[in-house]
Amino acid sequence: MMQKYKNLYLFLLIGFIVSSASLYAIAAEKGQGWGIDDEYNQYYDLEEVDQIKVRVIKIMEITPMEGMETGVGMVVEDIRDKEQYTVHICPVSYKSMKAIPFKKGEKLKLRGSFTVINDQDVIMAAKIKGKSKTLKVRLTSDGKPFWTMDPAELMKELSDS
């Protein structure tokens, strides 16, 4: 009878180890490349932050740089000069495409950092304001991404919006 329980304990221990390793691997991928100290975030330049009025062409998934977790982005058209830009909004682990409150054709005020990533002009969004909804994803003061904040700091920022 003792041998029966030893086998059960061994089986449970092996299961726990395998499960823990799998969860660690999943957690390591979440947010991959979107961290405050990651190369991608270094492209956000406060000197290049501007606000423009745009029209949404499409909302889509993006991978800003090789090896990064998938993110949410959109293609927009500047209302003034009709130039199109790809906008990087956030990683999907922070907000899914369904959580983006804007629709194709909607006019928005977009605030973000204009930069070039992989030879493409992009806007790294900070704040997107529609007719009835506003989406803030970075601090105006220093560009800190909301998805890198601890829960208390994030709650404070979101309650201020």
Side-chain angles (χ1 to χ4, degrees), residues 1 16 30 38 66 82 86 89 100 133 135 138:
M1 186 147 151
F16 176 76
K30 184 178 175 182
D38 288 332
E66 191 174 326
K82 305 297 185 211
T86 298
I89 300 172
I100 303 303
K133 297 282 184 180
L135 177 62
R138 289 180 181 267

Side-chain angles (χ1 to χ4, degrees), residues 9-22:
Y9 289 132
L10 182 60
F11 178 75
L12 290 174
L13 180 62
I14 291 171
F16 176 76
I17 292 169
V18 169
S19 296
S20 296
S22 297

Side-chain angles (χ1 to χ4, degrees), residues 85-143:
Y85 297 97
T86 298
V87 179
H88 296 183
I89 300 172
C90 64
V92 295
S93 59
Y94 178 68
K95 291 216 180 279
S96 69
M97 281 184 41
K98 291 180 182 179
I100 303 303
F102 310 116
K103 304 286 183 235
K104 180 179 179 181
E106 188 172 351
K107 292 181 180 177
L108 309 169
K109 288 181 183 175
L110 170 65
R111 181 177 176 82
S113 177
F114 286 69
T115 191
V116 177
I117 299 176
N118 295 330
D119 297 324
Q120 182 182 22
D121 289 332
V122 300
I123 302 171
M124 296 172 74
K127 181 178 179 181
I128 307 168
K129 185 174 181 166
K131 191 172 187 175
S132 61
K133 297 282 184 180
T134 298
L135 177 62
K136 288 174 52 178
V137 292
R138 289 180 181 267
L139 290 178
T140 303
S141 60
D142 63 5

Side-chain angles (χ1 to χ4, degrees), residues 43-51 112-115 123:
Y43 282 95
Y44 193 89
D45 183 354
L46 288 172
E47 302 280 322
E48 296 300 326
V49 172
D50 203 355
Q51 181 171 301
S113 177
F114 286 69
T115 191
I123 302 171

Side-chain angles (χ1 to χ4, degrees), residues 2 6 14 53 56 74 105 126-127 135 149-150 159:
M2 189 66 149
K6 280 185 179 179
I14 291 171
K53 291 181 181 180
V56 177
M74 62 184 171
K127 181 178 179 181
L135 177 62
M149 295 180 181
D150 64 58
S159 68

Side-chain angles (χ1 to χ4, degrees), residues 39-94:
E39 178 185 0
Y40 172 74
N41 195 53
Q42 306 313 307
Y43 282 95
Y44 193 89
D45 183 354
L46 288 172
E47 302 280 322
E48 296 300 326
V49 172
D50 203 355
Q51 181 171 301
I52 59 173
K53 291 181 181 180
V54 299
R55 184 176 58 85
V56 177
I57 304 296
K58 72 177 178 179
I59 297 173
M60 63 200 177
E61 286 192 352
I62 59 166
T63 305
M65 297 172 71
E66 191 174 326
M68 288 182 68
E69 174 193 8
T70 303
V72 179
M74 62 184 171
V75 175
V76 297
E77 180 181 78
D78 186 320
I79 290 173
R80 190 188 68 236
D81 65 12
K82 305 297 185 211
E83 190 166 345
Q84 290 191 5
Y85 297 97
T86 298
V87 179
H88 296 183
I89 300 172
C90 64
V92 295
S93 59
Y94 178 68

